[in-house]
Amino acid sequence: MGQSYGIRSRLLPASPNWYSSRCSDTNDKGILAFGAKNTIYLVDVTASSSTVVGELVGHRERVSGFSFCQHAGQSHNCASTSDDGTVKFWDTNEKVLVKEHKTHQNTITALHWSPGEKNLVVSGDEKGIVVCYQYNTGESQSFFPEPRNIFCLSCSPHIWHYVAVGYKDGMIVLIDISKKGEVVHRLRGHDDEIHALAWAPLPNEEVLYSRVDDNTGETTNGMTEGKEKGCYLASGSKDQTIRIWSTLKGKGVMTMKLPFLKRRGTGVDPAVKERLWLTVHWPKGKPTQVVSSCFGGELILWDLTKGGKQKWSLLGASSEGQNHSRIVFNMSSVCVQDNRELLLSTSMDREIKCWDLSSLDCCWTLPTLGGFVYTLTFSPVGTGCLALGVGDGMIRVWSTLSIQNKYDTKTFWQGIKSKVTALSWHPTKEGSLAFGTDDGKVGIYDAFSNKPPQVSSTYHRKTVYTLAWGPPVPPLSFGGAGDHLSYSLYSCAGEGLILQHDPWKLAGEATDIDRVIKDTNSIKHKLSPHTDLSWKPDGKVVAIGNEDGSIEVYQAPTLKLLCTIQQHHKIINVLRWHHDHSSLPELQYLLASGSSNALVYVHDLRTVIETPPESPVVMTEAYRSLAGHTAKITGLAWSPHHDGRLVTVCYDGTAQVWDVQKEEGLCNYRGHRGRLLCVQWSPVDPDLVWTGADDFTVQEWAVSKQEFTKPPKTKKTLDQKAKLKAKKKKKATGKGGAKVEESLSLIGEGNKGGASPAPGERPSDNEEEEEGSETTSISSVTGSTAVLSNLLLHSVCLNPAISFNCICHIVSIRLHPLQPLLRSVFPPEVSLKKRKPRSMLPLSTSMDHRPREDLQQDCLNLATVRHSEGLGDHIQLGLFADRDALYRMFQEEEEGHVEAGHYESAVYLRLWKGDIAGALQVATEKGELSDHLLSVAPMAGYQVWLKTVDVYVKQLCLQEQFLKAASHLLSINKVYEAIDLLKSHQLYREAIALAKARLQPDDPVLKELYTTWAAVLEKDGHLSTAAKCYLAMDSSFDAAKVIAKKNDPVSLKTAASLAKIAGESDLSYSLSLRCAKDLASSQDWLGAQQLLSTHESLLVSCPELADLLILLSLDLTLGAVSWLLGDWGAALEKLLQGVARGNEAGHFLLMSETCRLLFPQGIDSISEHKKMVDPSDEKALAAARSLEAFLCYQDLYHLWWSLSTNTAGAQRDMTNGLHSASENHINGLDGHVTDTPNGDGMGWCVSAQNGDVKMGVRVNACQVLLSEPHATCQATQRAIAEIQQRLASMVHQHSQTQETKDSPGEGQAERPTSAQGSTPTDSQEADTESLPCLIAMVSEHHKELADIPEHVKVRHPHTFLTELFPDVIVFKVLFSLFQKYPYPDVLECCLVLLYLSKSSTLVPDHLKNEAVALIRKYGTTSLRKASQRFLS
């Protein structure tokens, strides 16, 4: 099935199929396989070259998927899927089909041979069915995980029973096939088609978790420590994103947006619109890198461990022209012998490229073909330069002699926009290439330039068959001498005209040479349509082939007719003159001709050329006749290296080399899998021939290496030889005894008009330009139009199911004698799928095909009826009698139609009689209502119309045409029924659109639709659309809650903003707080601060920065004055006051910078100042201790942050941004802090050599922060502040109660307090009883404060832990008693030390124990709970 019948040297294969998720694959042997049309091509791949080594043939329709078995020793096994509904299994070594299965009932869209289980092959179809097939046993299981259209699937290489399935709507489902297809995870995130899925080559999820931003704010919590490590999955989608998924957690961990790249190198046709296809591939040798396609054919290598612009690299960026020019569909990789990993890519630009993943450069390019190869021609000047005219609208120029790249091609597409059906190189001007197209265009390309072609202003009306350069004929031959007049360009096309173009003035009008022929030869009658022409190499004569099979030879330049050859009896497809450098001079006068009757004739025209006759002669015998082909001849080529050696190509799929002199075959090539259309002999190698065919390939093969010498023998071949031996001059017109089926398959070779360069063939009838186009080989037989007509009529009578479209596909469109016959027998609208009658009156028609005696008797019967009454049993004569007889005939015909299942014809007969109600009744009973019948229903009455619409709606619902059914319900004003119909079939979007267009805005049906759809969307994970539904219902609260369900910072922030806009302040407050916690846990301090700034209640107020700086300047100025006056104590107090201002206002950076500027040596600087103070001055010493405490306090935080991140400066800036919204007004502060040299003084930048020692010294210096007297004072002040807050609350409640005596309960409802829910009287009694207690408690605490020394009393500082731990520190100090000596919060410092002790070994045990003791003694309940987190 995969064997080749021809040994070939090189092959340009068909283009890989488009829009398939996995239509190509590679195995460990270096074999690349890809599906092209219905064939699978095998290419041997190395780092330097590629070689097509075979094909796998067996599918009847387009190949939609392909996958190799990747297990050791089994890599020759592979599987493929096709639109024919089969999954086939192949052996690539033997190139044979092993087995197949047809489990799928729908179009198969995805396939993968499991890399984890060698016998498991998984496939999916467009209805969502997943089939798991066991290759060794032949057993299969079907699963239905989701009712969605499957676009791709991929089996896990690490957990064999895991399969990832991607759907058209963007959903990705991970199923466990060992548990009957149970859904493990639904991965939601993409919004459009999933084009590709790729598993990571390593079976764990540890590699990427080293990046903080990859975790999306979540910690791993030891997930990778268990037995099951999971595996990353990459996906590419039409929504322009690539996502990396954690299959262990069931969520995305990374999203990459495609960059917009400036198009490089070659351009593309701007008229061609292509959609994005985003495929991804995870190379085996690069576990942290993924390759993806991009918008215009670029390939991108993503480094998953990097961020920003460094995250991706462009393949082929080292030089121009390496990338694909259009979108890429499939990628696969293979490791070659030198351990290089190669990437193979297929693209819409019809090129297969090989990339070196280490250098990211393109190793080689294999061009492919996307259409019929209509024409081949070698340049007579540029040796080995082969031009290909292809049906994909492009010209390829192939340098066949290139040593470095044996597939060195250049592509031309500008100005063509149609199938290229004819090519011809200029005989002397290098690079000048003329082309003709299917739409009648003629132009000239310069192959050495990138400029658009010159196009002739004169177009042919039909396909251009042939182009030829020759000497000019009138009127161009009158232009005088000159190089530019040495050659004209001649074009022959389907309308039968040959036009002469001036290559130097293509904008001018081309001339029809028929005028010259008529004038020169005094011809008055109409000339036969021309189908081909060929100039003799010396330019003296030209041979023209005609549609009627005749060949005419004219003398240049006057085009005097020398002779007419009447040998062929069918359309002339090709003419070729023998070359003029033969060793035998007489051979240069040989003209070979091929037509649609499978015989090749060679004519010797030496006599008429050397001695032109006065009047044209007629030749009826050929010099040589070459019989063997069995179908129409499409191409000829004389060998330029031999005398009298000819190669011919034919629709029978073979190429034949002949020795013309001996009339015998030398070799027969059978390597193509379609009809051959063109042939060329190599200009440099006498043994090489090039052929092109409708199998989308060009093949190079050696004559000496072929197994066969003659074409395959058939009955027709034997008949031809018998006739030739009998020397019958008149060619046979056909086989009268041929079978009907055979004769039908052979129709269509009688006319070349409207054909392609494969003469007699219309390109538009036989070739589809999109991928997967398929053609059917059609053979031809000899025979005249009359015989074909008789065969056709006979076939139709025997088999009335044959359709008009079927016959028109076989017969050439220019078979004018058959067209009326076909159209009278076959209605054009007859469908191929249903068995339709050939006529509305088949019974009557069949009676007209009886024997002649019966037909004559009918005439007698009709004459009798016309002169008497009653028709009797002669129903067939109703067409010629009165109306009653006609109605009786209609009745019989109608019954016949119903019995045969042709209900539409029965309905039409009733309509013709005017019985509209009867026609509707028949159509209703048989389910054959149509829009046409519905349009005539009102003619039968309003009620009939209403009933018909209801029935038609039910019929449409059975046919799943719900939108059309709803539209028809609207026509009878059943709006609610139409909406309910759409809703019941889950067409919510359309139902809502209809409801909003036709119902009132407050109609409850609309709200019900939104509610139902929102619930469905929530279930499917489309939370944003669900939120829109809730917003449409004015339910903003539910919309915010739905968006917040995703629980990531972006969603929470959006939900909080939405709630705030809608006035849901409490919900907005709650969501903002949750989002801020997530941002803080991921150390996004700036984001948290910006979010909290939208809620005043979530931020501690601080004075304006300008005012704060003014006060700070005043303190420092007073301190400097005191210093100059020698008042050291006052100076220290003012400096302390300045340092404390930044701390109280929450500007940590300001406090830190103040300390650094005032005390560059840290605590040592304060020690120097203390030496100048009187030892008996307790106030000055107290101020110095407070300064030491603040220095240690800010150093403690710097130490914490330096241990938490490697970028301390950036971390400090983000943290300070959390404390102050006004930091941006401080100019230049950031730069000073980070420049502290090597930790001098109290700087916190730690050197690599002595960092740990200095950190330890700083931690020990923090002993000063653990002051128990200050802890006692601060605890007492906090208690007093709490009592004062309770007193203020009670006073406020009491005042509200007095004001609302007439409306009890209202005040309590507005502000919840401890007395909420009680009556006013109870509240007053509670206040009276508790007030003395609270006053007594205040007095007790004030006595405690009085006992504390004056230099220990502090004003309570701003607490940074209030923001860093909002869930732990819930108190807010309102105590504002101003004392002289501020001091850092002791308990806060204790918590920081405990945190440091947990994350490092720098905190000594005695400091840790002391901090624990202070928290237990003076801390609140929340503080003690918080400390347990650091002690556990």
Side-chain angles (χ1 to χ4, degrees):
M1 188 162 295
Q3 298 295 329
S4 174
Y5 291 100
I7 301 175
R8 54 181 173 251
S9 303
R10 276 185 285 183
L11 179 146
L12 280 187
S15 299
N17 292 335
W18 298 349
Y19 300 111
S20 295
S21 62
R22 192 193 308 274
C23 205
S24 67
D25 199 7
T26 54
N27 65 7
D28 57 6
K29 302 298 183 183
I31 298 297
L32 166 69
F34 62 89
K37 300 201 324 175
N38 60 347
T39 304
I40 300 164
Y41 287 90
L42 305 176
V43 182
D44 189 5
V45 173
T46 66
S48 59
S49 64
S50 62
T51 305
V52 179
V53 295
E55 305 100 37
L56 303 177
V57 180
H59 284 295
R60 291 180 289 105
E61 297 184 30
R62 185 186 75 106
V63 175
S64 59
F66 182 87
S67 180
F68 272 112
C69 177
Q70 300 293 344
H71 295 269
Q74 302 291 324
S75 60
H76 61 282
N77 292 328
C78 60
S80 63
T81 61
S82 168
D83 291 345
D84 60 16
T86 62
V87 179
K88 295 183 183 291
F89 299 88
W90 311 84
D91 184 335
T92 56
N93 289 341
E94 302 296 330
K95 300 180 180 63
V96 295
L97 178 66
V98 179
K99 60 172 67 176
E100 67 177 69
H101 77 79
K102 300 180 180 180
T103 307
H104 288 282
Q105 302 298 318
N106 305 290
T107 302
I108 306 172
T109 55
L111 173 73
H112 195 202
W113 196 310
S114 172
E117 169 56 45
K118 67 178 182 180
N119 290 312
L120 176 62
V121 180
V122 183
S123 54
D125 61 36
E126 63 182 6
K127 294 298 184 181
I129 304 297
V130 176
V131 174
C132 298
Y133 182 83
Q134 293 295 327
Y135 178 71
N136 56 340
T137 64
E139 299 177 352
S140 63
Q141 285 182 295
S142 297
F143 306 114
F144 189 50
E146 293 284 337
R148 309 168 190 266
N149 187 345
I150 294 176
F151 249 56
C152 60
L153 59 81
S154 183
C155 302
S156 171
H158 313 299
I159 306 174
W160 72 269
H161 48 85
Y162 274 12
V163 178
V165 185
Y167 293 93
K168 183 177 181 180
D169 61 0
M171 173 75 77
I172 300 174
V173 171
L174 182 63
I175 64 173
D176 187 341
I177 60 175
S178 66
K179 298 180 181 179
K180 299 182 179 180
E182 175 184 317
V183 176
V184 180
H185 294 299
R186 286 183 173 85
L187 307 177
R188 298 181 174 93
H190 288 296
D191 299 326
D192 213 330
E193 302 166 358
I194 306 297
H195 291 159
L197 295 169
W199 290 89
L202 296 182
N204 59 64
E205 296 184 1
E206 296 177 352
V207 178
L208 305 184
Y209 270 81
S210 60
R211 295 186 59 208
V212 176
D213 56 339
D214 289 347
N215 295 329
T216 62
E218 298 181 7
T219 58
T220 58
N221 294 327
M223 285 188 180
T224 59
E225 297 176 1
K227 294 181 180 180
E228 189 176 3
K229 295 186 177 182
C231 180
Y232 285 122
L233 176 69
S235 61
S237 170
K238 190 180 177 182
D239 64 8
Q240 304 178 10
T241 63
I242 301 151
R243 292 180 183 263
I244 308 297
W245 306 88
S246 166
T247 57
L248 185 63
K249 300 169 65 177
K251 64 187 304 181
V253 296
M254 188 183 302
T255 301
M256 296 166 286
K257 183 77 173 178
L258 286 185
F260 286 92
L261 303 173
K262 184 178 180 181
R263 298 304 296 271
R264 300 165 53 90
T266 58
V268 294
D269 189 351
V272 177
K273 294 183 179 180
E274 58 193 51
R275 66 176 188 176
L276 171 67
W277 190 271
L278 206 172
T279 183
V280 295
H281 176 69
W282 209 317
K284 295 179 180 179
K286 296 182 180 294
T288 62
Q289 294 179 334
V290 171
V291 185
S292 80
S293 60
C294 200
F295 294 101
E298 303 88 353
L299 296 180
I300 295 176
L301 182 67
W302 299 87
D303 191 333
L304 305 182
T305 62
K306 296 181 181 179
K309 293 184 178 179
Q310 297 180 350
K311 177 180 267 189
W312 57 269
S313 303
L314 183 66
L315 272 70
S318 61
S319 62
E320 296 287 341
Q322 290 195 54
N323 278 298
H324 289 288
S325 60
R326 299 179 71 179
I327 56 176
V328 175
F329 292 110
N330 298 132
M331 292 184 291
S332 57
S333 61
V334 61
C335 292
V336 292
Q337 295 178 351
D338 52 358
N339 292 326
R340 296 168 63 188
E341 187 166 7
L342 304 180
L343 179 75
L344 287 307
S345 59
T346 65
S347 168
M348 186 182 276
D349 64 5
R350 307 190 188 280
E351 290 183 340
I352 299 174
K353 289 183 177 288
C354 176
W355 306 84
D356 188 338
L357 287 180
S358 58
S359 64
L360 303 186
D361 286 331
C362 181
C363 303
W364 49 260
T365 299
L366 175 63
T368 63
L369 308 178
F372 292 3
V373 182
Y374 287 114
T375 178
L376 298 172
T377 177
F378 274 102
S379 171
V381 181
T383 306
C385 194
L386 177 63
L388 287 66
V390 188
D392 56 13
M394 292 188 286
I395 300 171
R396 275 89 165 172
V397 177
W398 185 358
S399 298
T400 60
L401 301 182
S402 175
I403 299 176
Q404 295 180 349
N405 180 9
K406 61 182 181 180
Y407 292 106
D408 182 13
T409 61
K410 187 175 181 181
T411 303
F412 301 91
W413 53 265
Q414 290 179 293
I416 298 177
K417 299 180 181 179
S418 183
K419 303 168 189 176
V420 181
T421 55
L423 293 173
S424 181
W425 292 97
H426 193 281
T428 59
K429 184 178 179 183
E430 186 174 8
S432 183
L433 177 64
F435 68 91
T437 66
D438 178 50
D439 58 3
K441 182 186 300 181
V442 175
I444 301 177
Y445 251 114
D446 183 355
F448 300 119
S449 169
N450 292 324
K451 296 180 181 179
Q454 303 178 53
V455 177
S456 173
S457 61
T458 305
Y459 277 62
H460 286 280
R461 296 194 304 275
K462 293 189 178 181
T463 302
V464 177
Y465 294 151
T466 306
L467 291 172
W469 296 88
V473 300
L476 294 184
S477 60
F478 300 149
D483 292 338
H484 68 282
L485 294 176
S486 58
Y487 290 99
S488 291
L489 177 62
Y490 297 88
S491 59
C492 179
E495 71 270 24
L497 298 180
I498 297 178
L499 299 180
Q500 178 185 203
H501 307 265
D502 185 348
W504 297 94
K505 297 180 182 179
L506 286 179
E509 184 177 357
T511 57
D512 185 355
I513 69 170
D514 278 0
R515 299 175 184 174
V516 181
I517 294 174
K518 287 185 176 181
D519 293 343
T520 301
N521 299 283
S522 301
I523 298 175
K524 304 298 183 181
H525 61 81
K526 182 180 179 181
L527 297 177
S528 176
H530 307 306
T531 57
D532 195 58
L533 82 156
S534 178
W535 281 94
K536 194 173 182 296
D538 58 10
K540 294 181 179 179
V541 295
V542 60
I544 296 177
N546 298 320
E547 189 178 277
D548 59 4
S550 63
I551 302 171
E552 297 168 335
V553 180
Y554 296 92
Q555 187 177 35
T558 60
L559 297 185
K560 177 185 177 182
L561 180 61
L562 299 179
C563 71
T564 300
I565 303 172
Q566 297 286 357
Q567 191 71 33
H568 295 281
H569 294 275
K570 284 192 177 181
I571 181 174
I572 301 298
N573 293 328
V574 59
L575 297 170
R576 290 292 181 270
W577 289 94
H578 194 283
H579 57 83
D580 56 1
H581 53 269
S582 172
S583 60
L584 300 176
E586 63 271 14
L587 294 182
Q588 65 175 306
Y589 299 101
L590 296 184
L591 174 67
S593 61
S595 70
S596 294
N597 63 350
L599 287 172
V600 177
Y601 292 109
V602 179
H603 315 277
D604 186 355
L605 301 175
R606 181 176 183 178
T607 303
V608 296
I609 294 176
E610 290 184 344
T611 309
E614 294 184 2
S615 60
V617 298
V618 178
M619 300 179 63
T620 57
E621 290 198 19
Y623 171 69
R624 294 288 186 271
S625 298
L626 307 177
H629 285 298
T630 58
K632 63 189 293 185
I633 307 299
T634 55
L636 304 170
W638 292 94
S639 169
H641 314 283
H642 306 87
D643 291 337
R645 184 165 296 185
L646 180 70
V647 59
T648 60
V649 292
C650 175
Y651 260 24
D652 62 10
T654 68
Q656 179 67 38
V657 178
W658 307 88
D659 185 331
V660 174
Q661 295 289 77
K662 298 179 181 180
E663 285 188 321
E664 65 180 21
L666 299 179
C667 91
N668 183 258
Y669 178 68
R670 307 180 187 181
H672 284 279
R673 302 193 179 278
R675 301 171 296 183
L676 273 69
L677 304 178
C678 51
V679 62
Q680 281 286 303
W681 210 297
S682 171
V684 294
D685 191 333
D687 197 38
L688 290 183
V689 176
W690 300 75
T691 49
D694 67 1
D695 60 1
F696 291 29
T697 67
V698 170
Q699 300 182 16
E700 176 195 50
W701 48 275
V703 175
S704 61
K705 295 181 180 180
Q706 303 310 310
E707 176 183 357
F708 303 98
T709 58
K710 296 181 180 180
K713 291 184 178 181
T714 62
K715 182 175 183 296
K716 182 174 181 178
T717 308
L718 299 176
D719 290 343
Q720 288 175 343
K721 291 184 177 181
K723 292 178 181 179
L724 288 174
K725 289 180 179 179
K727 296 183 179 181
K728 292 186 176 180
K729 298 181 181 180
K730 185 176 181 180
K731 188 177 51 131
T733 58
K735 315 282 189 303
K739 294 182 180 179
V740 174
E741 293 83 357
E742 180 182 355
S743 63
L744 280 176
S745 68
L746 301 177
I747 295 174
E749 313 303 338
N751 203 318
K752 186 173 178 177
S756 66
E761 175 79 16
R762 282 185 62 88
S764 58
D765 290 342
N766 296 287
E767 178 181 3
E768 298 175 15
E769 288 305 314
E770 290 301 322
E771 292 303 304
S773 63
E774 313 242 340
T775 57
T776 305
S777 296
I778 302 175
S779 300
S780 65
V781 294
T782 57
S784 64
T785 301
V787 173
L788 293 176
S789 303
N790 292 333
L791 287 173
L792 180 61
L793 280 177
H794 185 53
S795 303
V796 169
C797 295
L798 292 180
N799 187 5
I802 299 175
S803 69
F804 176 79
N805 293 335
C806 179
I807 298 301
C808 281
H809 181 72
I810 299 172
V811 182
S812 173
I813 200 63
R814 282 183 57 87
L815 287 177
H816 297 296
L818 289 182
Q819 282 189 9
L821 175 65
L822 292 176
R823 297 193 180 279
S824 65
V825 176
F826 299 109
E829 59 273 2
V830 170
S831 170
L832 285 173
K833 294 184 179 180
K834 287 189 177 182
R835 187 171 179 238
K836 295 292 184 180
R838 66 181 186 274
S839 169
M840 286 293 293
L841 307 171
L843 297 180
S844 175
T845 304
S846 63
M847 297 296 285
D848 287 340
H849 288 84
R850 292 175 296 160
R852 182 173 58 183
E853 294 79 5
D854 293 339
L855 295 178
Q856 292 175 352
Q857 183 62 41
D858 283 344
C859 294
L860 296 177
N861 294 333
L862 181 60
T864 304
V865 169
R866 297 292 294 178
H867 294 84
S868 62
E869 295 183 1
L871 191 60
D873 297 330
H874 306 292
I875 304 298
Q876 73 276 11
L877 300 180
L879 191 62
F880 309 99
D882 56 12
R883 180 174 296 180
D884 292 336
L886 179 67
Y887 281 3
R888 289 176 56 193
M889 187 185 74
F890 276 6
Q891 183 64 31
E892 294 291 335
E893 296 282 6
E894 181 183 325
E895 292 175 358
H897 284 313
V898 172
E899 184 178 352
H902 306 145
Y903 307 115
E904 184 180 4
S905 297
V907 169
Y908 283 146
L909 287 178
R910 291 206 176 190
L911 287 176
W912 290 1
K913 291 193 299 184
D915 185 6
I916 297 176
L920 294 174
Q921 180 181 354
V922 172
T924 300
E925 292 174 353
K926 304 301 180 182
E928 292 288 334
L929 282 173
S930 63
D931 293 337
H932 170 245
L933 292 177
L934 196 63
S935 67
V936 301
M939 297 173 63
Y942 180 72
Q943 294 300 325
V944 174
W945 175 57
L946 291 180
K947 181 179 178 181
T948 304
V949 171
D950 283 332
V951 175
Y952 191 36
V953 166
K954 295 178 182 178
Q955 178 181 317
L956 291 173
C957 289
L958 292 175
Q959 298 169 355
E960 298 186 357
Q961 300 185 47
F962 306 116
L963 296 177
K964 189 175 181 180
S967 301
H968 281 293
L969 284 174
L970 293 177
S971 67
I972 56 176
N973 201 31
K974 291 188 176 182
V975 180
Y976 288 100
E977 289 82 350
I979 295 173
D980 187 62
L981 173 65
L982 295 175
K983 175 187 172 184
S984 62
H985 293 94
Q986 298 185 348
L987 297 172
Y988 296 106
R989 192 183 299 272
E990 291 78 6
I992 290 174
L994 178 57
K996 289 186 72 68
R998 302 295 289 267
L999 302 181
Q1000 295 297 322
D1002 56 349
D1003 197 299
V1005 171
L1006 188 58
K1007 185 174 183 180
E1008 181 186 355
L1009 283 173
Y1010 279 127
T1011 304
T1012 307
W1013 193 26
V1016 174
L1017 290 169
E1018 275 192 72
K1019 182 180 178 181
D1020 291 343
H1022 301 292
L1023 302 180
S1024 298
T1025 311
K1028 294 176 186 176
C1029 292
Y1030 286 122
L1031 288 173
M1033 295 188 295
D1034 294 328
S1035 182
S1036 304
F1037 184 90
D1038 292 330
K1041 295 288 287 185
V1042 166
I1043 294 178
K1045 276 188 175 183
K1046 202 165 185 180
N1047 206 30
D1048 60 277
V1050 176
S1051 300
L1052 289 173
K1053 184 177 181 180
T1054 304
S1057 302
L1058 192 153
K1060 185 176 181 181
I1061 293 173
E1064 300 287 349
S1065 56
D1066 292 340
L1067 179 60
S1068 177
Y1069 178 93
S1070 172
L1071 294 173
S1072 297
L1073 189 57
R1074 285 171 56 190
C1075 183
K1077 289 179 183 179
D1078 289 346
L1079 292 172
S1081 64
S1082 61
Q1083 300 182 356
D1084 186 0
W1085 311 112
L1086 187 58
Q1089 188 270 339
Q1090 291 176 348
L1091 180 64
L1092 293 173
S1093 64
T1094 60
H1095 296 272
E1096 296 181 0
S1097 58
L1098 295 177
L1099 285 178
V1100 178
S1101 61
C1102 59
E1104 290 293 333
L1105 182 61
D1107 297 339
L1108 189 61
L1109 292 175
I1110 292 174
L1111 294 175
L1112 176 60
S1113 301
L1114 179 61
D1115 291 335
L1116 298 182
T1117 303
L1118 293 175
V1121 171
S1122 300
W1123 198 269
L1124 294 173
L1125 295 176
D1127 189 354
W1128 314 114
L1132 287 175
E1133 291 183 16
K1134 290 301 181 182
L1135 294 178
L1136 172 62
Q1137 187 172 338
V1139 170
R1141 284 194 187 277
N1143 186 51
E1144 292 167 355
H1147 285 276
F1148 183 85
L1149 179 61
L1150 183 60
M1151 181 195 74
S1152 178
E1153 286 297 287
T1154 304
C1155 291
R1156 188 187 67 82
L1157 294 172
L1158 295 177
F1159 311 107
Q1161 302 301 323
I1163 295 180
D1164 295 339
S1165 298
I1166 299 177
S1167 299
E1168 294 293 330
H1169 297 322
K1170 286 172 64 176
K1171 293 178 182 179
M1172 302 178 187
V1173 176
D1174 186 357
S1176 61
D1177 189 352
E1178 293 185 359
K1179 294 183 179 180
L1181 294 175
R1185 282 194 296 271
S1186 292
L1187 282 171
E1188 290 176 344
F1190 276 110
L1191 284 173
C1192 292
Y1193 174 72
Q1194 60 97 22
D1195 197 43
L1196 181 64
Y1197 269 97
H1198 286 316
L1199 180 60
W1200 174 17
W1201 294 331
S1202 67
L1203 293 175
S1204 301
T1205 178
N1206 294 328
T1207 55
Q1211 187 62 58
R1212 180 202 67 251
D1213 294 345
M1214 287 188 292
T1215 305
N1216 190 66
L1218 182 64
H1219 303 319
S1220 172
S1222 305
E1223 181 191 343
N1224 293 332
H1225 299 289
I1226 302 177
N1227 297 321
L1229 292 183
D1230 293 347
H1232 295 299
V1233 179
T1234 57
D1235 292 337
T1236 304
N1238 293 330
D1240 293 339
M1242 292 302 294
W1244 54 280
C1245 293
V1246 183
S1247 66
Q1249 296 178 353
N1250 57 1
D1252 292 342
V1253 177
K1254 291 189 176 184
M1255 286 184 182
V1257 172
R1258 292 194 201 98
V1259 172
N1260 289 325
C1262 293
Q1263 178 72 48
V1264 69
L1265 294 173
L1266 306 183
S1267 172
E1268 186 166 0
H1270 287 88
T1272 304
C1273 178
Q1274 291 170 0
T1276 304
Q1277 290 173 344
R1278 271 192 290 267
I1280 293 174
E1282 184 179 355
I1283 295 171
Q1284 288 179 341
Q1285 187 177 13
R1286 290 165 59 188
L1287 285 171
S1289 177
M1290 292 174 62
V1291 172
H1292 181 71
Q1293 178 188 352
H1294 182 75
S1295 63
Q1296 284 188 332
T1297 304
Q1298 294 297 325
E1299 293 174 0
T1300 58
K1301 284 183 179 181
D1302 296 336
S1303 56
E1306 185 178 337
Q1308 292 89 337
E1310 293 181 0
R1311 182 176 183 85
T1313 64
S1314 59
Q1316 185 174 1
S1318 61
T1319 63
T1321 305
D1322 295 337
S1323 176
Q1324 293 173 7
E1325 292 175 0
D1327 293 347
T1328 305
E1329 292 175 0
S1330 60
L1331 187 59
C1333 297
L1334 295 177
I1335 294 174
M1337 293 171 64
V1338 171
S1339 299
E1340 288 290 332
H1341 290 307
H1342 276 292
K1343 289 178 182 179
E1344 294 176 7
L1345 283 177
D1347 295 337
I1348 298 175
E1350 196 65 26
H1351 65 274
V1352 175
K1353 295 179 182 179
V1354 298
R1355 67 174 182 266
H1356 198 282
H1358 176 85
T1359 305
F1360 290 102
L1361 288 181
T1362 305
E1363 295 171 356
L1364 294 178
F1365 298 99
D1367 55 337
V1368 176
I1369 308 300
V1370 297
F1371 57 86
K1372 180 179 180 182
V1373 179
L1374 300 176
F1375 182 75
S1376 59
L1377 178 63
F1378 189 88
Q1379 297 292 341
K1380 288 188 177 181
Y1381 309 109
Y1383 204 85
D1385 192 313
V1386 177
L1387 299 183
E1388 176 185 351
C1389 297
C1390 291
L1391 277 178
V1392 176
L1393 282 171
L1394 290 178
Y1395 173 79
L1396 290 175
S1397 68
K1398 181 181 179 182
S1399 58
S1400 70
T1401 59
L1402 297 176
V1403 181
D1405 291 340
H1406 71 277
L1407 281 181
K1408 178 179 178 181
N1409 295 334
E1410 189 173 346
V1412 172
L1414 287 174
I1415 289 179
R1416 289 177 178 173
K1417 184 174 182 180
Y1418 299 104
T1420 61
T1421 303
S1422 59
L1423 275 173
R1424 288 193 289 272
K1425 288 183 179 179
S1427 66
Q1428 293 301 318
R1429 286 169 41 184
F1430 308 133
L1431 296 175
S1432 59

